[in-house]
Amino acid sequence: MVRLRAVVHNEWMNALISWVLTGVVALAAVKSLLSDAVLWGGVALLIVLIAAMPALTTGEWTMMVPWPLLIVAATATISRTLGMYMEVAGYFAVAALALIVVIELDAFTPVKMTQRFAVAFAALLTLAIQGLWTIAQYYSDLWLGTQFLHSQRELQVDIVIVTAIGISMSVVFEWYVEKVEHVESHAHPIDNDF
């Protein structure tokens, strides 16, 4: 049996698992779009695009975020697409999307963050994405006749829960980074001489 440390430290294996998980999210997006869940399908496609962005922009298929983070995004996307635990899955999808953005900024761009700042930034980005998601839900209800938003209280509870999940995921991922250094940390140094 392959040990976790060997899988995490193997750049090729990390990329392979990450691409498979990204493909799963893409399939969930297609299913959502075909079943008229356009708003959710759009969120899933956004997750796919952002997860694949480092590889697409560099031309190196191995430039992917750590696969454990994509497991969270894929599980949330599949769960929501299948109609299981839709609220909770939405919270985790939003938090995973924010954390993917923060990790990609830190790992694949000249932007460097301390771990504590990255946790705080991920929490704020989670709030920002949740705000955009709320606006999208409002206009979907208004223009498409959906029933996403039921009350102001429910909306406020959603914001509090997604914030708590975003902070929790960020802290857990900070712990993960401290315990298991990701393959991209030294394999592709950033050229700061632009």
Side-chain angles (χ1 to χ4, degrees):
M1 174 170 272
V2 179
R3 291 180 27 215
L4 177 64
R5 183 171 288 279
V7 171
V8 172
H9 283 289
N10 184 323
E11 183 178 15
W12 185 87
M13 184 65 76
N14 179 73
L16 179 65
I17 295 170
S18 294
W19 277 112
V20 168
L21 292 169
T22 303
V24 167
V25 175
L27 290 174
V30 169
K31 183 184 183 322
S32 293
L33 292 170
L34 292 176
S35 63
D36 292 332
V38 178
L39 199 57
W40 182 248
V43 170
L45 284 177
L46 185 63
I47 291 171
V48 169
L49 178 68
I50 291 175
M53 191 157 311
L56 295 175
T57 57
T58 63
E60 292 184 43
W61 74 277
T62 57
M63 298 283 282
M64 295 292 286
V65 296
W67 60 266
L69 179 56
L70 289 174
I71 284 178
V72 175
T75 303
T77 305
I78 292 168
S79 177
R80 176 101 184 191
T81 300
L82 297 177
M84 302 177 342
Y85 309 107
M86 291 180 64
E87 290 292 321
V88 175
Y91 302 145
F92 276 96
V94 167
L97 178 60
L99 199 50
I100 288 169
V101 169
V102 170
I103 288 169
E104 286 184 359
L105 280 173
D106 189 56
F108 304 121
T109 69
V111 174
K112 294 297 167 212
M113 299 178 233
T114 64
Q115 288 181 344
R116 287 189 181 157
F117 179 80
V119 168
F121 185 61
L124 289 174
L125 189 56
T126 301
L127 275 172
I129 293 171
Q130 179 64 27
L132 292 172
W133 176 244
T134 301
I135 292 167
Q137 288 176 323
Y138 172 79
Y139 283 108
S140 177
D141 288 354
L142 186 66
W143 294 337
L144 304 175
T146 58
Q147 301 263 321
F148 285 116
L149 302 177
H150 301 288
S151 69
Q152 184 176 0
R153 182 186 183 289
E154 181 183 335
L155 176 63
Q156 292 169 338
V157 169
D158 284 352
I159 292 171
V160 170
I161 292 172
V162 80
T163 302
I165 289 174
I167 292 170
S168 300
M169 279 183 57
S170 299
V171 168
V172 167
F173 207 78
E174 177 188 19
W175 172 83
Y176 166 80
V177 168
E178 287 177 7
K179 296 296 177 196
V180 182
E181 193 172 335
H182 179 55
V183 294
E184 295 298 329
S185 59
H186 299 291
H188 298 282
I190 302 298
D191 181 17
N192 292 326
D193 297 331
F194 334 162

